[in-house]
């Protein structure tokens, strides 16, 4: 059937225009599985090794720094992530420093904690986020868990956008704030976010069924 | 003649008792393109979901739904879902896999096709919508128009003979809309299009149905339905302005025998 | 409460890993058997919800803000097995992608927040909903469950740190529990408010969470509480000792002894000599107090909206 076309562009072929490709993360030649394995070995060794093997710790520190510089990993987000972990680290170090002797020294804890956190952060920076579920599936992790992880990764940003939009809409209509009011509004956003998440889950279920999901 | 879609007095109400569809009968010939008009909540989406047997809890009630001559029942759902491709309104609901390639492969994999055939179909479907090379892209990094096209590729990879489209152009900018329409036009399938985009319906569908509160209130040539201002307004719709433009220029859709009512 | 890497020793890492794997395995097999297929996407979306919910900050005071932990809320909304899977997924993602919580400590974190917290929250919720059967009860149940889950998780966390020799039990327990009594109050209020918003926005979502299969679980609940009490009581004795050590290190020892101003001195109940028993009793009183507050919150929320819904 030949429909009519409004305007003059009706039969223009579909352009293969692409939105700008995001640059591949550094070290993408190394397969994620190897990166994960290496990261696990490094973290487990560092976390469990007595700190007198100072050469190991120094070596790991150097390795991390060289990866950061060779891969030109932006430092700001890296430091931001590190800073998120610091409060807990500091608290436990403090508690350990004040508490009775017997456990590891607080300096040990701080060194280990910072190095491991750094290792994971660098790993996360050079590994594409989406590969984790695939990797786990290959490692025969139970499918229900892998599905949950994959769906979480897929819809995390969708939900975060929704939560931000709801919060803005809420704030734009909130004239006076106070702490209790902020709490009420934020909790309301939380509740609605859950409602939207479950509604979307239902629609996704329908979409999966529509393509013969079993 | 064997109809592509044949529905006889279908009733459906939601779990909370809300009546969604009421004594709805519909026949669509193979290769035909039918528009579904109606205000929000008039039952368009519910009707489309029925074509695929997705609302199974109560689908024994009311008349049967026949797809290509076969009555839809629990036993042939796989076949039905291969025959009927459903394009959902929100592409984010439909693109649930981590990458576009995985998503397009989802249907064929679920149908149990061998891997080479799945790969071949993924490639063909992506080529058809102009997204070749997007296999490893994550859906959240696509533009709205690309998302919509990826959804269509996921549907086309099942090679359906019937396409049920729910608001296929909503949320698209004019360029993506034009691109999407031109892809859709080339798909040789029976199409049932539910949309508020009257221009799209007018362009694609010679025949249309107006739904209101789950009932069919009017059925006929799209042009004539849309030209009837009273009818359109009564059911929460409106007469599109471009009709005037088309009448003035004597541009007629689909059939030279169809003449606009003389003013 | 996410334990970072390097704070747990090998035996704790191994044992908590095993415990977490068992808990997760139980949840997965139970969900595999009982979860209807249409709920499977809800697990992933629930995890995405929890992840983004934890990014919404609630101002507390002086620039400090907190966020939802959510284990108990999800246990009430989705059931314990689903909550275990959801929270575990979030913890895995946080550990590997955001370095939030250690990779070696993943087992411990999954055990504390993913297994202990939902179980404790769900049990407390059921106990309260059996006492008060209407909507007030459910809201109070969510609040009390959230509080209990926070306390239970912090107890487990303190236990693991102590067992690793990182932070002595005598210091870790009062510090962790002391802080989490307060954090738990915040968690309780957020959870209850969020639950309340959900019941208002879409009542059908919480219909399944009314604690139908009651009687058996009460027995389990009581048993679990007894178990926890028995587990905690022996450890509870060194409580004051630990603080005395801290005090000694900080040079407060003399002051404290001179003035009888030991921080926890008031906490001991008069007439009870056994410090373990006293601690357990004090803990019980604290629980009752939290329960009372939870019930008040439920009452207040329901009453607040009644005139509106009537008009």
């Amino acid at each position: 059937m030949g429909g009519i076309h409004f305007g003059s562009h009706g039969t223009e072929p579909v352009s293969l225009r692409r939105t700008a490709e995001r640059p591949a993360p550094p070290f993408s030649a190394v397969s994620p599985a190897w990166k994960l394995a290496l990261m696990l070995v490094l973290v487990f060794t560092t976390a469990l090794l007595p700190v007198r093997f100072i050469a190991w710790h120094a070596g790991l520190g150097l390795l991390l720094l060289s990866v950061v510089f060779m891969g030109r990993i932006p430092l700001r987000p890296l430091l931001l992530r590190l800073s998120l972990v610091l409060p807990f680290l500091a608290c436990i170090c403090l508690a350990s420093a004040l508490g009775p002797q017997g456990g590891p020294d607080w300096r040990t804890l701080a060194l280990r904690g910072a190095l491991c956190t750094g290792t994971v952060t660098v790993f996360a920076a050079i590994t594409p986020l989406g590969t984790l579920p695939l990797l786990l599936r290959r490692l025969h992790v139970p499918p229900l868990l892998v599905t949950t992880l994959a769906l979480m990764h897929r819809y995390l940003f969708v939900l975060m956008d929704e939560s931000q939009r709801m919060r803005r809409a809420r704030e734009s209509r909130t004239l006076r704030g106070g702490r209790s009011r902020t709490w009420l509004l934020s909790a309301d956003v939380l509740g609605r976010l859950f409602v939207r998440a479950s509604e979307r889950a239902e629609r996704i279920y329908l979409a999966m069924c529509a393509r013969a999901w079993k | 003649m064997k109809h592509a879609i044949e529905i006889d007095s279908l009733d459906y109400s939601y779990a909370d008792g809300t009546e969604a569809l009421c004594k709805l009968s519909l026949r669509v010939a193979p290769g035909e393109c039918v528009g579904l008009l109606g205000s929000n909540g008039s039952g368009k989406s519910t009707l489309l979901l029925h074509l695929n047997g997705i609302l199974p809890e109560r689908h024994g009630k009311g008349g049967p739904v026949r797809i290509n001559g076969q009555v839809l029942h629990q036993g042939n759902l796989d076949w039905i879902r291969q025959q009927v491709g459903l394009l959902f309104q929100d592409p984010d609901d439909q693109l649930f896999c981590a990458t576009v390639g995985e998503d397009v492969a989802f249907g064929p994999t679920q149908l149990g096709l061998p891997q080479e055939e799945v790969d071949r179909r993924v490639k063909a479907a992506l080529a058809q919508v102009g997204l070749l090379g997007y296999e490893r892209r994550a859906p959240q990094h696509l533009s709205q128009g690309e998302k919509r096209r990826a959804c269509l590729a996921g549907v086309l990879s099942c090679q359906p003979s019937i396409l049920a489209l729910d608001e296929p152009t909503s949320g698209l900018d004019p360029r993506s809309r034009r691109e999407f329409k031109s892809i859709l036009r080339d798909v040789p399938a029976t199409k049932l299009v539910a949309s508020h985009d009257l221009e799209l319906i007018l362009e694609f569908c010679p025949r249309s149905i107006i739904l209101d509160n789950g009932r069919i209130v009017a059925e006929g040539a799209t042009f004539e339905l849309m030209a009837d201002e009273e009818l359109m307004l009564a059911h929460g719709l409106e007469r599109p302005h471009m009709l005037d433009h088309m009448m003035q220029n004597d541009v007629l859709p689909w059939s030279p025998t169809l003449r606009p009512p003389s003013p | 409460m996410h334990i970072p890497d390097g704070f747990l020793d090998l035996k704790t890492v191994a044992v908590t890993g095993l415990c977490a794997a068992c808990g997760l395995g139980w949840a997965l097999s139970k969900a595999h058997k009982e979860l209807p297929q249409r709920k499977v996407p809800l697990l992933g979306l629930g995890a995405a919800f929890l992840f983004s919910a934890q990014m919404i900050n609630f101002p507390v005071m002086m620039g400090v803000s907190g966020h939802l932990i959510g284990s108990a809320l999800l246990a009430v909304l989705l059931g314990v097995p689903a909550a275990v899977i959801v929270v575990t997924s979030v913890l895995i993602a946080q550990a590997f992608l955001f370095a939030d919580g250690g990779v070696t400590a993943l087992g411990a974190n999954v055990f504390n927040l993913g297994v202990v917290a939902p179980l404790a929250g769900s049990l407390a919720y059921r106990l309260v909903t059996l006492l008060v059967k209407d909507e007030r009860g459910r809201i109070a149940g969510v609040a009390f469950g959230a509080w209990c889950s926070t306390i239970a998780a912090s107890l487990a966390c303190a236990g693991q740190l102590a067992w690793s020799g990182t932070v002595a039990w005598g210091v870790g327990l009062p510090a962790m529990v002391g802080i989490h009594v307060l954090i738990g109050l915040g968690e309780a209020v957020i959870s209850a408010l969020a639950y309340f918003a959900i019941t208002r926005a879409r009542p059908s979502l919480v219909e399944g969470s009314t604690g139908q299969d009651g009687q058996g679980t009460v027995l389990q609940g009581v048993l679990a509480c007894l178990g926890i009490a028995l587990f905690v009581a022996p450890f509870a004795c060194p409580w004051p000792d630990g603080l005395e050590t801290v005090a000694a290190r900080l040079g407060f020892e003399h002051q404290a002894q001179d003035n009888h101003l030991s921080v926890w001195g008031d906490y001991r109940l008069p007439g009870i000599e056994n410090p373990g028993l006293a601690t357990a009793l004090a803990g019980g009183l604290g629980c009752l107090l939290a329960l009372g507050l939870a019930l008040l919150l439920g009452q207040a929320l329901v009453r607040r909206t009644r005139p509106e819904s009537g008009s």
Side-chain angles (χ1 to χ4, degrees):
Chain A
M1 83 200 65
I4 56 154
H5 311 304
F6 301 97
S8 55
H9 317 285
T11 47
E12 183 189 74
V14 174
S15 68
L16 285 174
R17 170 183 57 91
R18 292 188 194 180
T19 47
E21 287 274 356
R22 296 175 357 129
F27 301 101
S28 48
V30 188
S31 90
W34 281 108
K35 282 186 217 161
L36 179 69
L38 182 67
M39 187 272 277
L40 285 179
V41 168
L42 288 178
V43 167
F44 268 85
T45 322
T46 315
L48 302 174
L49 200 71
V51 85
R52 65 170 180 277
F53 297 99
I54 195 71
W56 169 271
H57 294 90
L60 180 63
L62 278 178
L63 178 73
L64 289 183
L65 282 180
S66 53
V67 168
V68 167
F69 284 113
M70 275 164 58
R72 297 209 178 80
I73 300 169
L75 272 177
R76 259 182 75 90
L78 213 63
L79 290 175
L80 201 73
R81 279 187 188 179
L82 269 177
S83 72
L84 288 179
V85 195
L86 281 180
F88 194 90
L89 215 67
C91 281
I92 296 193
C93 287
L94 189 72
S96 164
L98 297 176
Q101 287 291 359
D105 187 37
W106 69 269
R107 280 159 294 207
T108 314
L109 292 178
L111 182 68
R112 273 186 192 164
L115 273 178
C116 291
T117 311
T119 314
V120 178
T121 315
V122 169
F123 160 79
I126 61 174
T127 314
L129 293 162
T131 50
L132 195 63
L134 267 179
L135 207 63
L136 290 177
R137 193 170 299 162
R138 228 181 297 153
L139 293 172
H140 300 288
V141 172
L144 197 55
L145 186 63
V146 180
T147 311
T148 305
L149 276 167
L151 281 177
M152 171 181 74
H153 174 246
R154 168 68 184 88
Y155 288 101
L156 180 57
F157 297 98
V158 176
L159 280 191
M160 284 207 288
D161 280 354
E162 275 185 21
S163 109
Q164 195 168 22
R165 280 201 299 272
M166 277 191 281
R167 213 140 25 114
R168 278 198 196 128
R170 268 303 197 177
E171 273 164 18
S172 70
R173 287 185 292 155
T174 311
L175 297 180
R176 56 203 159 87
R179 195 173 299 149
S180 61
R181 206 162 172 79
T182 325
W183 274 58
L184 274 176
L185 293 183
S186 300
D188 195 48
V189 168
L190 275 185
R192 278 166 204 279
L193 192 63
F194 182 80
V195 172
R196 289 208 186 176
S198 42
E199 281 170 357
R200 193 177 280 280
E202 277 160 31
R203 292 199 301 270
I204 292 167
Y205 169 74
L206 293 183
M208 287 170 121
C209 283
R211 287 195 274 159
W213 184 52
K214 288 178 273 288
Chain B
M1 192 182 83
K2 204 166 82 175
H3 292 282
I5 303 169
E6 193 178 352
I7 299 174
D8 271 316
S9 115
L10 175 72
D11 286 312
Y12 182 79
S13 42
Y14 285 114
D16 59 0
T18 322
E19 201 172 53
L21 297 176
C22 182
K23 302 228 178 327
L24 193 141
S25 301
L26 173 69
R27 277 176 177 69
V28 180
E32 203 186 351
C33 205
V34 176
L36 274 181
L37 298 169
S39 53
N40 291 333
S42 57
K44 300 187 301 278
S45 301
T46 313
L47 173 58
L48 293 186
L49 289 177
H50 266 287
L51 299 179
N52 214 321
I54 281 186
L55 300 170
E57 300 95 70
R58 287 167 290 276
H59 76 91
K61 226 175 86 180
V65 175
R66 276 174 215 269
I67 302 295
N68 292 335
Q70 297 229 21
V71 177
L72 185 156
H73 56 84
Q74 282 298 331
N76 64 358
L77 275 184
D78 269 10
W79 181 81
I80 294 282
R81 286 174 181 172
Q82 190 261 310
Q83 288 297 311
V84 183
L86 205 53
L87 193 72
F88 285 72
Q89 190 170 349
D90 184 348
D92 273 329
D93 293 341
Q94 199 162 0
L95 293 170
F96 45 75
C97 295
T99 63
V100 173
E102 261 180 76
D103 205 273
V104 179
F106 185 87
T109 314
Q110 293 294 319
L111 292 172
L113 297 174
Q115 190 57 43
E116 309 89 70
E117 174 66 8
V118 173
D119 292 341
R120 202 187 56 73
R121 284 196 181 193
V122 169
K123 243 188 154 61
L126 283 175
Q128 208 169 349
V129 300
L131 286 182
L132 263 185
Y134 274 56
E135 284 89 342
R136 312 202 67 161
R137 295 277 292 272
Q140 56 264 43
H141 298 142
L142 301 181
S143 73
Q144 197 68 17
E146 288 166 339
K147 276 186 194 170
R148 191 65 64 132
R149 275 145 63 188
C151 285
L152 184 63
V155 170
L156 292 178
S157 63
C158 294
Q159 301 187 339
S161 63
I162 299 165
L163 277 185
L165 311 165
D166 196 354
E167 293 289 354
T169 54
S170 73
L172 297 185
D173 60 24
R175 192 217 315 242
S176 334
R177 186 162 159 269
R178 198 172 61 239
E179 288 173 354
F180 193 74
K181 284 203 288 195
S182 104
I183 294 167
L184 219 48
R185 191 174 295 117
D186 294 337
V187 178
T190 311
K191 293 177 199 120
L192 199 54
V193 189
S195 184
H196 294 310
D197 183 350
L198 300 180
E199 204 176 300
L200 170 87
I201 303 267
L202 195 55
E203 199 180 326
F204 271 68
C205 310
R207 185 161 74 95
S208 283
I209 289 162
I210 297 183
L211 279 179
D212 197 352
N213 268 325
R215 292 159 207 268
I216 295 183
V217 289
E219 187 174 358
T222 306
F223 198 92
E224 286 172 2
L225 289 180
M226 286 189 184
D228 188 341
E229 190 152 12
E230 220 169 288
L231 175 78
M232 294 293 275
L233 281 176
H235 299 292
L237 303 161
E238 62 180 11
R239 180 177 190 268
H241 291 301
M242 74 229 175
L243 276 183
D244 303 323
H245 162 82
M246 288 163 65
M247 283 178 191
Q248 272 163 19
N249 298 321
D250 213 24
V251 199
L252 287 179
W254 335 287
S255 151
T257 58
L258 187 73
R259 287 277 157 202
S262 45
Chain C
M1 213 188 308
H2 296 18
I3 306 176
D5 280 314
F7 286 68
L8 300 179
D9 63 359
L10 186 59
K11 65 173 188 301
T12 319
V13 165
V15 170
T16 51
L18 199 68
C19 289
C22 288
L24 182 62
W26 167 79
L28 282 169
S29 74
K30 194 145 170 91
H32 191 72
K33 268 181 263 161
E34 290 172 9
L35 196 74
Q37 205 188 14
R38 63 179 311 129
K39 295 272 182 195
V40 171
L42 185 56
L43 294 186
L45 269 288
F49 157 76
L50 186 57
F51 210 125
S52 35
Q54 292 191 341
M55 294 188 170
I56 298 179
N57 280 312
F58 290 78
V60 181
M61 57 173 81
M62 295 186 298
V64 178
S65 56
H67 64 75
L68 179 80
I69 300 168
S71 304
L73 182 64
L74 284 176
V76 170
L77 287 171
L78 307 176
V80 175
V84 171
I85 298 170
V86 166
V87 178
T88 303
S89 307
V90 171
L91 287 170
I92 290 176
Q94 284 172 337
F96 281 95
L97 306 179
F98 297 94
D100 188 5
V103 171
T104 54
L106 186 61
N109 287 330
V110 166
F111 180 71
N112 300 346
L113 292 168
V115 180
V116 171
L119 272 175
S122 157
L123 284 174
Y125 170 80
R126 290 200 167 150
L127 277 175
V128 177
T129 46
L130 278 175
L131 289 175
V132 186
K133 288 198 164 62
D134 58 359
E135 193 186 8
R136 281 173 306 162
R138 273 179 279 142
I139 293 170
V142 171
F144 188 56
W147 188 78
C148 287
S149 73
T150 314
I151 302 292
S154 74
L155 272 175
C157 183
Q160 287 146 7
L161 288 173
W163 201 34
S164 300
T166 309
V167 179
W169 179 250
V171 180
L173 181 73
M176 285 294 273
V177 175
I179 294 170
H180 282 89
V181 162
L182 298 177
I183 294 180
L185 287 180
E187 170 78 5
V189 174
I190 303 173
S191 301
L193 288 176
Y195 181 83
F196 183 67
I198 295 168
T199 53
R200 281 291 172 271
R202 216 178 127 184
S204 62
L205 275 180
V206 292
E207 265 163 18
S209 63
T210 40
Q212 327 80 338
D213 40 12
Q215 304 310 321
T217 51
V218 175
L219 194 67
Q220 286 170 17
V222 172
L223 281 177
C225 290
L226 270 178
I228 292 172
L230 286 176
F231 174 72
V232 172
F235 286 103
C237 308
W239 185 325
D241 300 343
L243 269 155
E244 274 162 26
T245 323
V246 176
R249 291 216 160 189
L250 292 174
F252 293 154
E253 197 175 23
H254 295 294
Q255 285 178 6
Q257 276 181 350
D258 290 348
N259 301 335
H260 295 281
L261 263 178
S262 165
V263 188
W264 301 96
D266 297 337
Y267 218 67
R268 289 193 197 159
L269 298 176
I272 297 172
E273 293 301 318
N274 182 345
L277 189 61
T279 318
L281 269 175
L285 279 180
C287 279
L288 280 180
L289 191 65
L291 178 59
L293 287 176
L295 287 170
L296 279 179
L297 181 67
Q299 183 86 35
L301 276 180
V302 172
R303 193 192 290 155
R304 202 174 69 92
T305 49
R306 221 166 246 162
E308 284 174 32
S309 57
S311 63

